Amino acid sequence: MNSDLWYNIEDIVYQVFELLRVDVVYTSVRPEDATLCRQALARSARSCKAFASPALTILWRSLPSDQPLLELLYILGIVESSSDYAPTAYNTGIGLSDTPINLPVLSVQENVRAHPQWQHFLRHASHVRQIRLDPFRSSAGSAIWPEIAFSMDGIPILPRLTSVYVTSIFSPLRGRVLSCHNLGCLALIHPSIRGLRLRLSRKGKVDEALHRIMSHIVTTVKSLEYFRSVYSPAHLGNPGLLTHFTRIRHVTIDGDIHPSDLRDVAKLSGLRRLSIPLYTSLSSERLVSSSITDLHVEDPWNVLGGFLERAHVPQLRSLHIITESSAKSPLGADASQLLHIVAAAFTTLEILSIEWKDDCARRVDAPIRAPYSAGRLADITEPLLPLRALREVSLEFRGYDLEYTSRDVQALSEAWPSLEELRLNFRTAIGPRSGIESLTHLAHNCPHLRILDLPGMDAADDALAAAWTPAASHPNLYGLVIERVVFQGMDEAKMWQFIARQFPKAARRATVGPKNY
């Protein structure tokens, strides 16, 4: 009978504990949450035999530093300390804390692979898929990794490690001296690493250390597919760095990219996804790539327009734009001009996402202003109607109030029959608004639609009575969100009956915002 209990079914236990997995890239945002998750996993492993293997597997999958590995080596007797040291019960190799504990200098007493406890260490090390390394905060014990790596005869210390986050935090702990010489933890990086994220500061006298870090990465990593950095490679003192990674597929630069790096992109034959901000330094540059299929760009719309117009990316299928303009600027004219450029330059687009903000929307201290009409949705989307291959469309005009009607929804549904996801996000305080009856157009013209997210809509009894109803209900839509509904002589129950007839799968989980009567 006990064998039927859920906690004895390993697949279920893994799914439960997976919810506690911590991504080491984002632990700096809420480190207390990461610590609590690791504590919960460690306690679960100690509390129940059925929980031990799944909890420890997930606990070791993402490490906040090399500290848990160093402590495990010490506890197993594989390495010894040059001074008295006893790890506390709190930090016995399980990585509960994101704050490094200052282990003393460690030394290897024999060939680590011949040590009787080496296989025990390897069982834990083989779980590690992701690790965060900070050479400037690592303990003195990290200096032992190059010696261990040398004794491995080319076998990685962390054989299944796929992703590394190299960061530098220039705020040393009290009583510690900032050092740029202890780069021993970099020996954990091996040639088969596929993902690399860099968040390196260039403050003070650390350029030499950063160059050593980058040099180690270039000479060690051979199979890199994903690269993300807060600085462009040229700004890190490594022009041409991207071209060293012949297998790279995804590149994200979160800061000011150097023009030479953009030109290097053209040399990457396997690059599929590029995400970059645009600045005046790139205003005259041309993006050329015969392989990119997914492009993410961010900058004011007028800079973006010129950049996209000059770009030559014939394989582009997915375009994501984040842009802004002044609240005093006419949204309709600006957006229409940019989308004319997009439609003319990228005729085979399948995915289009546009997030358009006015300059007040991004300011925390901006006063709340009354809504004003920013034009008609139809005028903005008209250039996009010829893009018949669109499958996913997300149009967000944050801070703007737009007019849109049932006829506009009909035009979109007829232009994009392959739609799978449609998200429209803007204010509709002024109106006019599309009626709830316009859902029939989407149900009839877009049979593959799965996700539908719409702004405010009107629910009028006479309009619904006159609406044409498809003979069969929509088979695929399962996600429906309507920002708000303004009722005009219609009972709410009647609206839900209408939605259930059109989209039976979505009706059970549909979300409708505030209702006005």
Side-chain angles (χ1 to χ4, degrees), residues 170-205:
F170 292 93
S171 54
L173 301 177
R174 183 168 53 185
R176 296 182 61 191
V177 178
L178 180 64
S179 171
C180 63
H181 301 296
N182 182 20
L183 306 181
C185 63
L186 297 181
L188 295 172
I189 298 177
H190 57 78
S192 299
I193 294 295
R194 296 198 301 270
L196 176 66
R197 177 169 174 142
L198 304 175
R199 189 171 183 86
L200 302 172
S201 174
R202 301 174 68 239
K203 297 178 182 178
K205 301 178 181 180

Side-chain angles (χ1 to χ4, degrees), residues 160-177:
R160 303 175 74 179
L161 182 68
T162 60
S163 179
V164 177
Y165 177 31
V166 181
T167 183
S168 60
I169 303 174
F170 292 93
S171 54
L173 301 177
R174 183 168 53 185
R176 296 182 61 191
V177 178

Side-chain angles (χ1 to χ4, degrees), residues 17 20 41 57 107 131 154 182 290 297 309 363 368 370 429 432 450:
F17 287 145
L20 296 174
L41 288 168
T57 297
S107 60
I131 192 169
N182 182 20
S290 59
V297 287
E309 195 169 25
R363 286 169 43 204
I368 300 176
R450 296 178 292 106

Side-chain angles (χ1 to χ4, degrees), residues 10-45:
E10 194 170 83
D11 289 346
I12 295 178
V13 176
Y14 268 105
Q15 291 183 34
V16 172
F17 287 145
E18 189 69 35
L19 299 176
L20 296 174
R21 183 174 64 87
V22 177
D23 189 326
V24 298
V25 173
Y26 301 106
T27 54
S28 59
V29 179
R30 292 185 61 85
E32 63 276 13
D33 290 347
T35 299
L36 290 174
C37 286
R38 293 191 179 95
Q39 287 176 336
L41 288 168
R43 289 165 181 163
S44 298

Side-chain angles (χ1 to χ4, degrees), residues 186 189-191 196 198 210-224 227 233 236-246:
L186 297 181
I189 298 177
H190 57 78
L196 176 66
L198 304 175
L210 292 179
H211 293 166
R212 290 173 60 189
I213 292 173
M214 299 303 296
S215 176
H216 178 86
I217 291 171
V218 171
T219 56
T220 303
V221 180
K222 305 299 181 184
S223 304
L224 196 68
F227 175 85
L236 283 173
N238 285 268
L241 171 68
L242 294 177
T243 59
H244 286 277
F245 305 128
T246 57

Side-chain angles (χ1 to χ4, degrees), residues 459 464 485 487 489-499 512-517:
L464 187 61
V485 174
F487 287 92
M490 179 188 291
D491 181 75
E492 183 178 345
K494 191 173 183 179
M495 178 196 72
W496 284 111
Q497 291 171 2
F498 170 75
I499 291 176
V512 175
K515 307 172 186 67
N516 303 100
Y517 295 89

Side-chain angles (χ1 to χ4, degrees), residues 210-403:
L210 292 179
H211 293 166
R212 290 173 60 189
I213 292 173
M214 299 303 296
S215 176
H216 178 86
I217 291 171
V218 171
T219 56
T220 303
V221 180
K222 305 299 181 184
S223 304
L224 196 68
E225 297 178 3
Y226 171 86
F227 175 85
R228 183 167 186 171
S229 174
V230 71
Y231 290 103
S232 74
H235 288 154
L236 283 173
N238 285 268
L241 171 68
L242 294 177
T243 59
H244 286 277
F245 305 128
T246 57
R247 299 184 183 181
I248 201 162
R249 297 175 60 84
H250 297 171
V251 172
T252 298
I253 306 297
D254 294 317
D256 189 1
I257 187 170
H258 194 275
S260 65
D261 294 314
L262 193 61
R263 292 190 289 269
D264 286 341
V265 166
K267 305 173 185 177
L268 302 174
S269 59
L271 187 64
R272 296 293 181 267
R273 184 183 185 275
L274 176 65
S275 178
I276 55 173
L278 300 175
Y279 297 95
T280 54
S281 60
L282 298 178
S283 59
S284 61
E285 293 296 322
R286 187 182 187 213
L287 174 63
V288 178
S289 173
S290 59
S291 62
I292 291 179
T293 59
D294 186 0
L295 177 63
H296 296 237
V297 287
E298 178 178 358
D299 213 39
W301 75 271
N302 50 347
V303 176
L304 274 174
F307 179 81
L308 295 175
E309 195 169 25
R310 289 188 302 273
H312 179 66
V313 194
Q315 299 300 319
L316 193 69
R317 298 295 182 270
S318 178
L319 177 61
H320 302 256
I321 293 175
I322 299 178
T323 188
E324 65 179 32
S325 59
S326 170
K328 299 178 181 179
S329 180
L331 171 67
D334 293 349
S336 179
Q337 183 177 344
L338 178 61
L339 294 185
H340 267 104
I341 294 172
V342 168
F346 312 113
T347 58
T348 57
L349 275 183
E350 298 178 7
I351 300 174
L352 177 62
S353 172
I354 296 178
E355 181 182 344
W356 198 301
K357 303 170 286 187
D358 67 38
D359 54 2
C360 289
R362 64 183 176 87
R363 286 169 43 204
V364 177
D365 60 342
I368 300 176
R369 52 176 172 76
Y372 67 95
S373 178
R376 300 171 60 241
L377 176 67
D379 294 335
I380 295 174
T381 58
E382 186 273 334
L384 300 177
L385 298 183
L387 301 180
R388 302 281 293 178
L390 283 174
R391 295 184 294 104
E392 299 178 17
V393 177
S394 176
L395 303 176
E396 178 178 355
F397 300 100
R398 192 181 304 175
Y400 292 98
D401 196 292
L402 291 174
E403 305 172 13

